[in-house]
Coordinates of all heavy atoms in Angstrom, one line a residue:
A23 N 4.0 5.5 12.0 CA 3.5 6.9 12.1 C 2.2 6.9 12.8 O 1.3 6.1 12.5 CB 3.4 7.5 10.7
D24 N 2.0 7.9 13.7 CA 0.8 8.0 14.4 C -0.2 8.7 13.5 O 0.1 9.4 12.6 CB 1.0 8.8 15.7 CG 1.7 8.0 16.7 OD1 1.4 6.9 16.9 OD2 2.6 8.6 17.3
S25 N -1.5 8.5 13.8 CA -2.5 9.1 13.0 C -3.6 9.7 13.9 O -3.7 9.3 15.0 CB -3.2 8.1 12.0 OG -4.2 7.4 12.7
T26 N -4.3 10.6 13.4 CA -5.4 11.2 14.1 C -6.7 10.6 13.8 O -7.8 10.9 14.3 CB -5.5 12.7 13.8 OG1 -5.7 12.9 12.4 CG2 -4.3 13.4 14.3
W27 N -6.7 9.6 12.9 CA -7.9 8.9 12.5 C -8.1 7.6 13.3 O -7.5 7.5 14.4 CB -8.0 8.6 11.0 CG -8.1 9.9 10.2 CD1 -8.8 11.0 10.5 CD2 -7.4 10.2 9.0 NE1 -8.7 11.9 9.6 CE2 -7.8 11.5 8.6 CE3 -6.5 9.5 8.2 CZ2 -7.4 12.1 7.4 CZ3 -6.1 10.1 7.0 CH2 -6.5 11.3 6.7
G28 N -8.7 6.6 12.7 CA -9.1 5.4 13.4 C -8.0 4.4 13.7 O -8.0 3.7 14.6
C29 N -7.0 4.3 12.8 CA -5.9 3.3 13.0 C -4.6 3.9 13.0 O -4.3 5.0 12.4 CB -6.0 2.3 11.8 SG -7.4 1.3 11.7
R30 N -3.7 3.2 13.7 CA -2.3 3.6 13.7 C -1.6 2.7 12.6 O -1.6 1.5 12.7 CB -1.6 3.3 15.0 CG -0.2 3.7 15.1 CD 0.3 3.5 16.5 NE 1.7 3.9 16.6 CZ 2.8 3.1 16.3 NH1 2.6 1.9 15.9 NH2 4.0 3.6 16.4
A31 N -1.0 3.4 11.6 CA -0.5 2.7 10.4 C 1.1 2.7 10.5 O 1.7 3.7 10.8 CB -0.9 3.3 9.1
S32 N 1.7 1.5 10.1 CA 3.1 1.5 10.1 C 3.6 0.5 9.0 O 2.8 -0.3 8.5 CB 3.7 1.0 11.5 OG 3.2 -0.2 11.8
F33 N 4.9 0.5 8.8 CA 5.5 -0.4 7.8 C 6.5 -1.3 8.5 O 7.2 -0.8 9.4 CB 6.3 0.4 6.7 CG 5.5 0.9 5.6 CD1 4.6 2.0 5.9 CD2 5.6 0.5 4.3 CE1 3.8 2.5 4.8 CE2 4.9 1.0 3.3 CZ 4.0 2.0 3.5
T34 N 6.6 -2.6 8.1 CA 7.7 -3.4 8.6 C 9.0 -2.8 7.9 O 8.9 -2.2 6.9 CB 7.6 -4.9 8.2 OG1 7.6 -5.0 6.8 CG2 6.3 -5.5 8.8
P35 N 10.1 -3.1 8.5 CA 11.4 -2.6 7.9 C 11.5 -3.1 6.5 O 12.0 -2.4 5.6 CB 12.5 -3.1 8.8 CG 11.8 -3.2 10.1 CD 10.4 -3.7 9.8
E36 N 11.1 -4.4 6.2 CA 11.2 -5.0 4.9 C 10.3 -4.3 3.9 O 10.7 -4.0 2.8 CB 10.9 -6.5 5.0 CG 11.9 -7.3 5.8 CD 11.6 -7.2 7.3 OE1 10.5 -6.7 7.7 OE2 12.4 -7.7 8.1
A37 N 9.1 -4.0 4.3 CA 8.1 -3.3 3.4 C 8.6 -1.9 3.1 O 8.5 -1.5 2.0 CB 6.7 -3.3 4.0
R38 N 9.1 -1.2 4.1 CA 9.6 0.1 3.9 C 10.8 0.1 2.9 O 10.9 0.9 2.0 CB 10.0 0.8 5.2 CG 10.6 2.2 5.0 CD 10.8 2.9 6.3 NE 9.6 3.3 6.9 CZ 9.1 2.8 8.0 NH1 9.8 2.0 8.7 NH2 8.0 3.2 8.5
A39 N 11.7 -0.9 3.0 CA 12.9 -1.0 2.1 C 12.4 -1.3 0.7 O 12.9 -0.7 -0.3 CB 13.8 -2.1 2.6
S40 N 11.4 -2.2 0.6 CA 10.8 -2.5 -0.8 C 10.2 -1.3 -1.4 O 10.4 -1.0 -2.6 CB 9.8 -3.6 -0.7 OG 10.4 -4.8 -0.2
L41 N 9.5 -0.5 -0.6 CA 8.8 0.7 -1.1 C 9.9 1.7 -1.6 O 9.8 2.3 -2.7 CB 7.9 1.4 -0.1 CG 7.2 2.6 -0.5 CD1 6.2 2.3 -1.6 CD2 6.5 3.3 0.7
R42 N 10.9 1.9 -0.8 CA 12.0 2.8 -1.2 C 12.7 2.3 -2.5 O 13.0 3.1 -3.4 CB 13.0 3.0 -0.1 CG 12.4 3.7 1.1 CD 13.5 4.2 2.1 NE 12.8 5.2 3.0 CZ 12.5 6.4 2.7 NH1 12.7 6.9 1.5 NH2 11.9 7.2 3.6
A43 N 12.9 1.0 -2.6 CA 13.6 0.5 -3.8 C 12.7 0.7 -5.0 O 13.2 1.1 -6.1 CB 13.9 -1.0 -3.6
L44 N 11.4 0.4 -4.9 CA 10.5 0.6 -6.0 C 10.4 2.0 -6.5 O 10.5 2.3 -7.7 CB 9.1 0.1 -5.7 CG 8.8 -1.4 -5.6 CD1 7.4 -1.7 -5.1 CD2 9.0 -2.0 -6.9
C45 N 10.3 2.9 -5.6 CA 10.2 4.4 -5.9 C 11.5 4.9 -6.5 O 11.5 5.9 -7.2 CB 9.7 5.2 -4.7 SG 8.0 4.8 -4.2
S46 N 12.6 4.3 -6.1 CA 13.9 4.8 -6.6 C 14.4 4.2 -7.8 O 15.4 4.6 -8.4 CB 14.9 4.6 -5.5 OG 14.5 5.3 -4.3
A47 N 13.8 3.1 -8.3 CA 14.2 2.3 -9.5 C 14.0 3.2 -10.7 O 13.0 3.9 -10.8 CB 13.5 1.0 -9.6
P48 N 14.9 3.0 -11.7 CA 14.7 3.8 -13.0 C 13.4 3.2 -13.7 O 13.0 2.1 -13.5 CB 16.0 3.5 -13.7 CG 16.6 2.3 -13.1 CD 16.1 2.3 -11.7
E49 N 12.9 4.0 -14.5 CA 11.7 3.6 -15.2 C 12.0 2.5 -16.2 O 13.0 2.4 -16.8 CB 11.1 4.8 -16.0 CG 9.8 4.6 -16.6 CD 9.1 5.8 -17.2 OE1 9.6 6.9 -16.9 OE2 8.1 5.7 -17.8
D50 N 11.0 1.5 -16.2 CA 11.2 0.3 -17.0 C 9.8 0.2 -17.8 O 8.9 -0.2 -17.2 CB 11.4 -0.9 -16.2 CG 11.6 -2.2 -17.0 OD1 11.4 -2.1 -18.2 OD2 11.9 -3.2 -16.4
G51 N 9.8 0.6 -19.0 CA 8.6 0.6 -19.8 C 8.0 -0.8 -20.0 O 6.8 -0.9 -20.4
R52 N 8.7 -1.9 -19.8 CA 8.1 -3.2 -19.9 C 7.3 -3.6 -18.8 O 6.5 -4.5 -18.9 CB 9.3 -4.2 -20.1 CG 10.1 -4.0 -21.4 CD 11.3 -4.9 -21.3 NE 12.1 -4.5 -20.2 CZ 13.1 -5.2 -19.7 NH1 13.5 -6.3 -20.3 NH2 13.8 -4.8 -18.6
R53 N 7.4 -2.9 -17.6 CA 6.7 -3.3 -16.4 C 5.7 -2.3 -16.1 O 6.0 -1.2 -15.7 CB 7.7 -3.5 -15.2 CG 8.6 -4.7 -15.4 CD 9.6 -4.7 -14.2 NE 8.9 -4.7 -13.0 CZ 9.5 -4.4 -11.8 NH1 10.7 -4.1 -11.8 NH2 8.8 -4.4 -10.7
A54 N 4.4 -2.6 -16.1 CA 3.3 -1.8 -15.6 C 3.5 -0.3 -15.9 O 3.9 0.5 -15.1 CB 3.2 -2.0 -14.1
P55 N 3.4 0.1 -17.2 CA 3.6 1.5 -17.6 C 2.8 2.5 -16.8 O 3.1 3.7 -16.8 CB 3.3 1.5 -19.1 CG 2.5 0.3 -19.3 CD 2.9 -0.7 -18.3
Q56 N 1.7 2.1 -16.3 CA 0.8 3.0 -15.5 C 1.3 3.2 -14.1 O 0.7 4.0 -13.4 CB -0.6 2.5 -15.5 CG -1.2 2.2 -16.9 CD -1.1 3.4 -17.8 OE1 -1.5 4.5 -17.4 NE2 -0.7 3.2 -19.0
A57 N 2.3 2.4 -13.7 CA 2.7 2.5 -12.3 C 3.7 3.6 -12.1 O 4.4 4.1 -13.0 CB 3.4 1.2 -11.9
L58 N 3.7 4.1 -10.8 CA 4.7 5.1 -10.4 C 4.7 6.4 -11.2 O 5.7 7.0 -11.5 CB 6.1 4.5 -10.4 CG 6.3 3.3 -9.4 CD1 7.7 2.7 -9.6 CD2 6.1 3.7 -8.0
R59 N 3.5 6.9 -11.5 CA 3.4 8.2 -12.2 C 3.5 9.3 -11.2 O 3.9 10.4 -11.5 CB 2.0 8.3 -12.9 CG 1.9 7.3 -14.0 CD 0.6 7.5 -14.8 NE -0.5 7.8 -13.9 CZ -1.7 8.0 -14.4 NH1 -2.0 8.0 -15.7 NH2 -2.7 8.3 -13.5
F60 N 3.2 9.0 -9.9 CA 3.2 10.1 -8.9 C 4.3 9.9 -7.9 O 4.8 10.9 -7.3 CB 1.9 10.2 -8.2 CG 0.7 10.3 -9.1 CD1 -0.1 9.3 -9.4 CD2 0.5 11.6 -9.7 CE1 -1.2 9.5 -10.3 CE2 -0.5 11.7 -10.6 CZ -1.4 10.7 -10.9
F61 N 4.7 8.6 -7.6 CA 5.6 8.4 -6.5 C 7.1 8.1 -7.0 O 7.9 7.9 -6.1 CB 5.1 7.2 -5.6 CG 3.8 7.5 -5.0 CD1 2.9 6.5 -4.8 CD2 3.5 8.8 -4.5 CE1 1.7 6.7 -4.2 CE2 2.3 9.0 -3.9 CZ 1.4 8.0 -3.8
R62 N 7.3 8.0 -8.3 CA 8.7 7.7 -8.7 C 9.6 8.8 -8.2 O 9.4 10.0 -8.3 CB 8.8 7.7 -10.2 CG 10.2 7.3 -10.7 CD 10.2 7.1 -12.2 NE 9.2 6.2 -12.7 CZ 9.3 4.8 -12.6 NH1 10.3 4.3 -12.0 NH2 8.4 4.1 -13.1
G63 N 10.7 8.3 -7.5 CA 11.7 9.2 -7.0 C 11.2 9.9 -5.7 O 12.0 10.7 -5.1
D64 N 10.1 9.5 -5.1 CA 9.6 10.2 -3.9 C 9.0 9.1 -2.9 O 7.8 9.1 -2.7 CB 8.5 11.2 -4.2 CG 8.3 12.2 -3.1 OD1 8.9 12.0 -2.0 OD2 7.7 13.2 -3.4
P65 N 9.9 8.3 -2.4 CA 9.3 7.2 -1.5 C 8.7 7.8 -0.2 O 7.8 7.2 0.3 CB 10.6 6.4 -1.1 CG 11.7 7.3 -1.4 CD 11.3 8.2 -2.5
D66 N 9.1 8.9 0.3 CA 8.5 9.5 1.5 C 7.1 9.9 1.2 O 6.2 9.7 2.0 CB 9.3 10.7 2.0 CG 10.7 10.4 2.5 OD1 10.9 9.2 3.0 OD2 11.6 11.2 2.4
R67 N 6.8 10.5 0.0 CA 5.4 10.8 -0.3 C 4.6 9.6 -0.5 O 3.4 9.5 -0.1 CB 5.5 11.6 -1.6 CG 4.1 12.1 -2.1 CD 4.3 13.0 -3.3 NE 3.0 13.3 -3.9 CZ 2.8 13.7 -5.1 NH1 3.8 13.7 -5.9 NH2 1.6 13.9 -5.5
A68 N 5.2 8.5 -1.1 CA 4.4 7.2 -1.2 C 4.1 6.7 0.1 O 2.9 6.3 0.4 CB 5.3 6.2 -2.0
E69 N 5.0 6.6 1.1 CA 4.8 6.1 2.4 C 3.7 6.9 3.1 O 2.8 6.4 3.7 CB 6.0 6.1 3.2 CG 5.8 5.5 4.6 CD 7.1 5.3 5.4 OE1 8.2 5.3 4.8 OE2 6.9 5.0 6.6
A70 N 3.8 8.2 3.0 CA 2.8 9.1 3.6 C 1.4 8.9 3.1 O 0.4 8.8 3.8 CB 3.2 10.6 3.5
A71 N 1.3 8.6 1.8 CA 0.0 8.4 1.1 C -0.6 7.1 1.6 O -1.8 7.0 2.0 CB 0.1 8.4 -0.4
F72 N 0.2 6.0 1.7 CA -0.3 4.8 2.3 C -0.7 4.9 3.7 O -1.7 4.4 4.1 CB 0.8 3.6 2.1 CG 0.8 3.0 0.8 CD1 1.8 3.3 -0.2 CD2 -0.2 2.1 0.4 CE1 1.8 2.7 -1.4 CE2 -0.2 1.5 -0.8 CZ 0.8 1.8 -1.8
V73 N 0.1 5.6 4.5 CA -0.2 5.7 6.0 C -1.5 6.5 6.1 O -2.4 6.1 6.9 CB 1.0 6.4 6.7 CG1 0.6 6.9 8.1 CG2 2.2 5.5 6.8
Q74 N -1.7 7.6 5.4 CA -2.9 8.4 5.6 C -4.1 7.6 5.1 O -5.2 7.6 5.8 CB -2.8 9.7 4.8 CG -1.8 10.6 5.4 CD -1.6 11.9 4.5 OE1 -2.2 12.0 3.5 NE2 -0.7 12.7 4.9
T75 N -4.0 6.8 4.0 CA -5.1 6.1 3.5 C -5.5 5.0 4.5 O -6.7 4.7 4.8 CB -4.8 5.5 2.1 OG1 -4.5 6.6 1.3 CG2 -6.0 4.7 1.6
L76 N -4.5 4.2 5.0 CA -4.7 3.1 5.9 C -5.2 3.6 7.2 O -6.0 2.9 7.9 CB -3.5 2.2 6.0 CG -3.1 1.5 4.7 CD1 -1.7 0.9 4.9 CD2 -4.1 0.4 4.5
A77 N -4.8 4.7 7.7 CA -5.2 5.3 9.0 C -6.7 5.5 9.0 O -7.4 5.4 10.0 CB -4.5 6.6 9.3
A78 N -7.3 5.8 7.8 CA -8.7 6.0 7.7 C -9.5 4.6 7.6 O -10.7 4.6 7.6 CB -9.0 6.8 6.5
D79 N -8.8 3.5 7.6 CA -9.3 2.2 7.5 C -10.3 2.1 6.4 O -11.5 2.1 6.5 CB -10.0 1.8 8.8 CG -10.3 0.3 8.9 OD1 -10.1 -0.4 7.9 OD2 -10.7 -0.2 10.0
P80 N -9.8 1.9 5.1 CA -10.7 1.9 3.9 C -11.4 0.6 3.7 O -12.1 0.4 2.7 CB -9.7 2.1 2.8 CG -8.4 1.5 3.3 CD -8.4 1.8 4.8
R81 N -11.3 -0.4 4.6 CA -12.0 -1.7 4.4 C -13.5 -1.5 4.5 O -14.0 -0.6 5.2 CB -11.5 -2.7 5.5 CG -10.1 -3.0 5.5 CD -9.7 -3.9 6.7 NE -10.0 -3.2 7.9 CZ -10.1 -3.8 9.1 NH1 -9.9 -5.1 9.2 NH2 -10.3 -3.1 10.2
S82 N -14.2 -2.4 3.8 CA -15.6 -2.3 3.8 C -16.1 -2.9 5.2 O -15.3 -3.6 5.9 CB -16.2 -3.2 2.7 OG -15.9 -4.6 2.9
V83 N -17.3 -2.7 5.5 CA -17.9 -3.2 6.7 C -17.8 -4.7 6.7 O -17.5 -5.4 7.7 CB -19.4 -2.8 6.9 CG1 -20.0 -3.5 8.1 CG2 -19.4 -1.3 7.1
Y84 N -18.1 -5.3 5.5 CA -18.0 -6.8 5.4 C -16.6 -7.3 5.8 O -16.4 -8.2 6.5 CB -18.4 -7.2 4.0 CG -18.3 -8.7 3.8 CD1 -19.3 -9.6 4.2 CD2 -17.1 -9.3 3.3 CE1 -19.2 -10.9 4.0 CE2 -17.0 -10.7 3.2 CZ -18.1 -11.5 3.5 OH -18.0 -12.8 3.4
R85 N -15.6 -6.6 5.2 CA -14.2 -7.0 5.5 C -13.8 -6.9 6.9 O -13.1 -7.7 7.5 CB -13.2 -6.2 4.6 CG -13.3 -6.4 3.2 CD -12.3 -7.3 2.5 NE -11.1 -7.6 3.2 CZ -10.1 -8.2 2.6 NH1 -10.2 -8.5 1.4 NH2 -9.0 -8.5 3.3
K86 N -14.3 -5.8 7.5 CA -14.0 -5.6 9.0 C -14.7 -6.6 9.8 O -14.1 -7.1 10.9 CB -14.5 -4.2 9.4 CG -13.7 -3.1 8.8 CD -14.3 -1.7 9.2 CE -13.6 -0.6 8.5 NZ -14.3 0.7 8.8
E87 N -15.9 -7.1 9.5 CA -16.7 -8.0 10.3 C -16.4 -9.5 10.0 O -16.4 -10.3 10.9 CB -18.1 -7.7 10.2 CG -18.5 -6.3 10.9 CD -20.0 -6.0 10.7 OE1 -20.7 -6.8 10.1 OE2 -20.3 -4.9 11.2
K88 N -16.3 -9.8 8.7 CA -16.3 -11.2 8.3 C -14.9 -11.8 8.0 O -14.7 -13.0 8.0 CB -17.2 -11.4 7.1 CG -18.6 -11.0 7.3 CD -19.3 -11.9 8.2 CE -20.8 -11.5 8.3 NZ -21.5 -12.1 9.4
C89 N -14.0 -10.9 7.6 CA -12.7 -11.4 7.3 C -11.6 -10.5 7.7 O -10.6 -10.2 7.0 CB -12.6 -11.7 5.8 SG -13.3 -10.6 4.7
A90 N -11.7 -10.1 9.0 CA -10.8 -9.1 9.5 C -9.3 -9.7 9.6 O -8.4 -8.9 9.6 CB -11.2 -8.6 10.9
E91 N -9.2 -11.0 9.8 CA -7.9 -11.6 9.9 C -7.1 -11.7 8.6 O -5.9 -12.0 8.6 CB -8.0 -13.0 10.5 CG -9.0 -13.3 11.6 CD -10.4 -13.4 11.0 OE1 -10.7 -14.0 10.0 OE2 -11.3 -12.8 11.7
E92 N -7.9 -11.6 7.5 CA -7.2 -11.9 6.2 C -6.4 -10.7 5.8 O -6.6 -9.5 6.2 CB -8.3 -12.1 5.1 CG -9.0 -13.4 5.3 CD -10.0 -13.7 4.3 OE1 -9.9 -13.2 3.2 OE2 -10.9 -14.5 4.5
M93 N -5.4 -10.9 5.0 CA -4.5 -9.9 4.4 C -5.4 -8.9 3.6 O -6.2 -9.3 2.9 CB -3.4 -10.5 3.6 CG -2.3 -9.6 3.2 SD -1.3 -9.1 4.6 CE -0.4 -10.6 4.9
Y94 N -5.1 -7.6 3.8 CA -5.8 -6.6 3.0 C -4.9 -6.0 2.0 O -3.7 -5.7 2.4 CB -6.4 -5.5 4.0 CG -7.1 -4.4 3.3 CD1 -8.4 -4.6 2.8 CD2 -6.5 -3.2 3.0 CE1 -9.1 -3.6 2.2 CE2 -7.2 -2.2 2.4 CZ -8.5 -2.4 2.0 OH -9.2 -1.4 1.3
H95 N -5.3 -5.8 0.8 CA -4.4 -5.2 -0.2 C -4.9 -3.8 -0.6 O -6.1 -3.6 -0.8 CB -4.3 -6.1 -1.5 CG -3.6 -7.3 -1.2 ND1 -2.2 -7.5 -1.5 CD2 -3.9 -8.5 -0.7 CE1 -1.8 -8.7 -1.2 NE2 -2.8 -9.3 -0.7
L96 N -4.0 -2.9 -0.6 CA -4.3 -1.5 -1.1 C -3.3 -1.2 -2.2 O -2.1 -1.4 -2.0 CB -4.1 -0.6 0.1 CG -4.2 0.9 -0.2 CD1 -5.7 1.3 -0.6 CD2 -3.8 1.8 1.0
E97 N -3.8 -0.7 -3.3 CA -3.0 -0.3 -4.4 C -3.1 1.2 -4.6 O -4.2 1.8 -4.7 CB -3.4 -1.0 -5.7 CG -2.5 -0.7 -6.8 CD -2.9 -1.3 -8.1 OE1 -3.2 -2.5 -8.1 OE2 -2.9 -0.6 -9.1
L98 N -1.9 1.9 -4.6 CA -1.8 3.3 -4.9 C -0.7 3.5 -6.0 O 0.4 3.0 -5.8 CB -1.5 4.1 -3.7 CG -2.5 4.1 -2.5 CD1 -1.9 4.9 -1.3 CD2 -3.8 4.7 -3.0
D99 N -1.0 4.1 -7.0 CA 0.0 4.4 -8.1 C 0.7 3.2 -8.6 O 1.9 3.2 -8.8 CB 1.0 5.5 -7.6 CG 1.7 6.2 -8.7 OD1 1.3 6.1 -9.9 OD2 2.8 6.7 -8.4
G100 N 0.0 2.1 -8.7 CA 0.6 0.8 -9.2 C 1.4 0.1 -8.1 O 1.9 -1.0 -8.5
I101 N 1.4 0.5 -6.9 CA 2.1 -0.2 -5.8 C 1.1 -0.9 -5.0 O 0.1 -0.3 -4.5 CB 2.9 0.8 -5.0 CG1 3.9 1.6 -5.8 CG2 3.6 0.1 -3.8 CD1 4.6 2.7 -5.1
D102 N 1.3 -2.2 -4.8 CA 0.4 -3.0 -4.0 C 1.0 -3.2 -2.6 O 2.1 -3.6 -2.5 CB 0.2 -4.4 -4.7 CG -0.7 -5.3 -3.8 OD1 -1.9 -5.0 -3.7 OD2 -0.1 -6.3 -3.2
A103 N 0.2 -2.8 -1.6 CA 0.7 -3.0 -0.2 C -0.2 -4.1 0.4 O -1.4 -4.0 0.4 CB 0.6 -1.7 0.5
A104 N 0.4 -5.1 0.9 CA -0.2 -6.2 1.6 C -0.2 -5.8 3.1 O 0.9 -5.7 3.7 CB 0.4 -7.5 1.4
C105 N -1.4 -5.7 3.7 CA -1.5 -5.1 5.1 C -2.3 -6.1 6.0 O -3.1 -6.8 5.5 CB -2.3 -3.8 5.0 SG -1.8 -2.7 3.7
R106 N -2.0 -6.0 7.2 CA -2.7 -6.7 8.2 C -3.2 -5.8 9.3 O -2.5 -5.0 9.9 CB -1.8 -7.8 8.9 CG -2.6 -8.8 9.7 CD -1.8 -10.0 10.1 NE -1.2 -10.7 9.0 CZ -1.8 -11.5 8.2 NH1 -3.0 -11.8 8.3 NH2 -1.1 -12.2 7.3
F107 N -4.6 -5.8 9.5 CA -5.2 -5.0 10.6 C -5.3 -5.9 11.8 O -5.8 -7.0 11.7 CB -6.6 -4.6 10.1 CG -6.6 -3.4 9.1 CD1 -6.4 -3.7 7.8 CD2 -6.8 -2.2 9.6 CE1 -6.4 -2.6 6.9 CE2 -6.8 -1.1 8.7 CZ -6.6 -1.3 7.3
V108 N -4.9 -5.4 12.9 CA -5.1 -6.1 14.2 C -5.5 -5.0 15.2 O -4.7 -4.1 15.5 CB -3.7 -6.7 14.7 CG1 -4.0 -7.4 16.1 CG2 -3.3 -7.8 13.7
G109 N -6.7 -5.1 15.6 CA -7.3 -4.1 16.5 C -7.3 -2.7 15.9 O -7.8 -2.6 14.8
N110 N -6.6 -1.8 16.5 CA -6.6 -0.4 16.0 C -5.3 -0.1 15.3 O -4.9 1.1 15.1 CB -6.8 0.5 17.2 CG -7.5 1.8 16.8 OD1 -8.3 1.7 15.9 ND2 -7.3 2.8 17.6
E111 N -4.6 -1.2 14.9 CA -3.3 -1.0 14.2 C -3.3 -1.7 12.9 O -3.9 -2.8 12.8 CB -2.1 -1.5 15.1 CG -2.0 -0.7 16.4 CD -0.7 -1.0 17.1 OE1 0.2 -1.6 16.5 OE2 -0.6 -0.5 18.2
V112 N -2.6 -1.1 11.9 CA -2.5 -1.8 10.6 C -1.0 -1.7 10.3 O -0.3 -0.7 10.4 CB -3.3 -1.1 9.5 CG1 -3.1 0.4 9.4 CG2 -3.1 -1.8 8.2
T113 N -0.5 -2.8 9.8 CA 0.9 -2.9 9.4 C 1.1 -3.3 8.0 O 0.5 -4.3 7.5 CB 1.7 -4.0 10.3 OG1 1.5 -3.6 11.7 CG2 3.2 -4.0 10.0
V114 N 1.8 -2.6 7.2 CA 2.1 -3.0 5.8 C 3.3 -4.0 5.9 O 4.3 -3.7 6.4 CB 2.6 -1.7 5.0 CG1 2.9 -2.2 3.6 CG2 1.4 -0.7 4.9
E115 N 3.0 -5.2 5.5 CA 3.9 -6.3 5.6 C 4.8 -6.5 4.3 O 5.9 -7.0 4.4 CB 3.2 -7.6 6.0 CG 2.6 -7.5 7.4 CD 1.9 -8.7 7.9 OE1 1.9 -9.7 7.1 OE2 1.4 -8.7 9.0
R116 N 4.1 -6.3 3.2 CA 4.8 -6.5 1.9 C 4.4 -5.4 0.9 O 3.3 -5.0 0.9 CB 4.5 -7.9 1.3 CG 5.0 -9.0 2.0 CD 4.8 -10.3 1.2 NE 3.5 -10.5 0.8 CZ 2.5 -11.1 1.5 NH1 2.7 -11.4 2.7 NH2 1.3 -11.2 1.0
V117 N 5.3 -5.0 0.1 CA 5.1 -4.0 -1.0 C 5.6 -4.6 -2.3 O 6.7 -5.1 -2.3 CB 5.7 -2.7 -0.6 CG1 5.6 -1.7 -1.8 CG2 5.2 -2.1 0.7
S118 N 4.8 -4.4 -3.4 CA 5.3 -4.9 -4.7 C 4.7 -4.0 -5.8 O 3.6 -3.4 -5.5 CB 5.0 -6.4 -4.9 OG 3.6 -6.6 -4.8
L119 N 5.3 -4.1 -6.9 CA 4.7 -3.4 -8.1 C 3.6 -4.3 -8.6 O 3.8 -5.5 -8.8 CB 5.8 -3.1 -9.1 CG 5.5 -2.0 -10.1 CD1 5.2 -0.7 -9.5 CD2 6.7 -1.9 -11.1
R120 N 2.4 -3.8 -8.9 CA 1.4 -4.6 -9.5 C 1.8 -5.2 -10.8 O 2.6 -4.6 -11.5 CB 0.1 -3.9 -9.6 CG 0.0 -2.9 -10.7 CD -1.4 -2.4 -10.9 NE -1.4 -1.1 -11.6 CZ -1.3 -1.0 -12.9 NH1 -1.2 -2.0 -13.7 NH2 -1.4 0.2 -13.4
A121 N 1.3 -6.3 -11.1 CA 1.6 -6.9 -12.4 C 1.0 -6.1 -13.5 O -0.1 -5.6 -13.4 CB 1.0 -8.4 -12.4
A122 N 1.7 -6.0 -14.6 CA 1.2 -5.3 -15.8 C 0.1 -6.1 -16.4 O 0.2 -7.3 -16.6 CB 2.3 -5.1 -16.8
T123 N -1.0 -5.4 -16.6 CA -2.2 -6.1 -17.3 C -2.4 -5.4 -18.6 O -2.6 -4.1 -18.6 CB -3.4 -6.0 -16.4 OG1 -3.6 -4.7 -16.0 CG2 -3.2 -6.8 -15.1
P124 N -2.5 -6.1 -19.7 CA -2.7 -5.5 -21.0 C -4.2 -4.9 -21.0 O -5.1 -5.5 -20.5 CB -2.5 -6.6 -22.0 CG -2.7 -7.9 -21.2 CD -2.3 -7.5 -19.7
F125 N -4.3 -3.8 -21.7 CA -5.6 -3.3 -22.0 C -6.4 -4.2 -22.9 O -5.8 -4.6 -23.9 CB -5.6 -1.8 -22.5 CG -5.0 -0.9 -21.5 CD1 -3.7 -0.4 -21.6 CD2 -5.8 -0.5 -20.4 CE1 -3.2 0.5 -20.7 CE2 -5.2 0.4 -19.5 CZ -4.0 0.9 -19.6
V126 N -7.6 -4.4 -22.6 CA -8.4 -5.3 -23.5 C -9.5 -4.4 -24.3 O -10.0 -3.5 -23.8 CB -9.2 -6.4 -22.7 CG1 -10.0 -7.3 -23.6 CG2 -8.2 -7.1 -21.9

């Protein structure tokens, strides 16, 4: 998807398929109960949220300058997106549900 901000954000076909599967899966109370409160049943909305956020390049100055080649992770609504920035483009390469973490 094209953006009007700093980066052009896109998904690999595999990442898009994973996002669609996660958003379409029935609720499972054993896995990350805080996840998918907003995107369950709405993979298009989830993809749009990731694209808009990544297009604004949310990385810190340090990440942009010192570790630009490293994988960047963005979590929205319990969904972790592993992304790679190259120049003015960012690609979501993997999508997964974050691991459930017990409240301490």
